[in-house]
Amino acid sequence: EMQTEERESITITEEYDRVYKGVNDPVLNDKGTGKALSVLNTAGWEDTVLWNPYGNEGMGFNNFVCVESVKFDSVTLAAGESWVGDMALKPSDL
């Protein structure tokens, strides 16, 4: 089921696994550390997946949030063509 996200910021308080179509260059802000991480998608990627196994101590849920650059719409390539997805991470202070 497709839903629209209305929040400007997300606080993870439960197991979290969401797809954000059309969100291409997310910024993660960690108020606890005062740091930010920008995900810079320079080619190919169009969407973002955000997940965390909240409550799963074995996976270290309180130590990470996974942000994946993705492209959910299919890409059709002719013989000899290629597709490139480039991304970079840029840390900064809040």
Side-chain angles (χ1 to χ4, degrees), residues 2 20-21 30 35 42-43 46 54 65 68 71 76 86:
M2 185 72 82
Y20 293 93
K21 291 193 64 111
D30 186 336
K35 302 290 182 183
T42 56
E46 295 178 354
Y54 189 86
V65 172
E68 301 176 30
K71 179 169 176 47
T76 302
D86 286 326

Side-chain angles (χ1 to χ4, degrees), residues 7 10-16 50-52 54 64-66:
R7 299 177 289 180
I10 297 167
T11 301
I12 296 176
T13 59
E14 62 186 2
E15 186 174 338
Y16 203 87
L50 178 66
W51 68 272
N52 175 275
Y54 189 86
F64 77 96
V65 172
C66 185

Side-chain angles (χ1 to χ4, degrees), residues 11-78:
T11 301
I12 296 176
T13 59
E14 62 186 2
E15 186 174 338
Y16 203 87
D17 191 0
R18 306 285 194 286
V19 174
Y20 293 93
K21 291 193 64 111
V23 175
N24 193 19
D25 291 319
V27 177
L28 303 170
N29 294 318
D30 186 336
K31 293 180 181 177
T33 63
K35 302 290 182 183
L37 182 66
S38 297
V39 180
L40 307 172
N41 294 306
T42 56
W45 308 114
E46 295 178 354
D47 311 301
T48 299
V49 172
L50 178 66
W51 68 272
N52 175 275
Y54 189 86
N56 186 330
E57 292 181 17
M59 288 188 71
F61 76 94
N62 57 341
N63 292 316
F64 77 96
V65 172
C66 185
V67 178
E68 301 176 30
S69 299
V70 297
K71 179 169 176 47
F72 277 96
D73 295 332
S74 62
V75 176
T76 302
L77 300 174

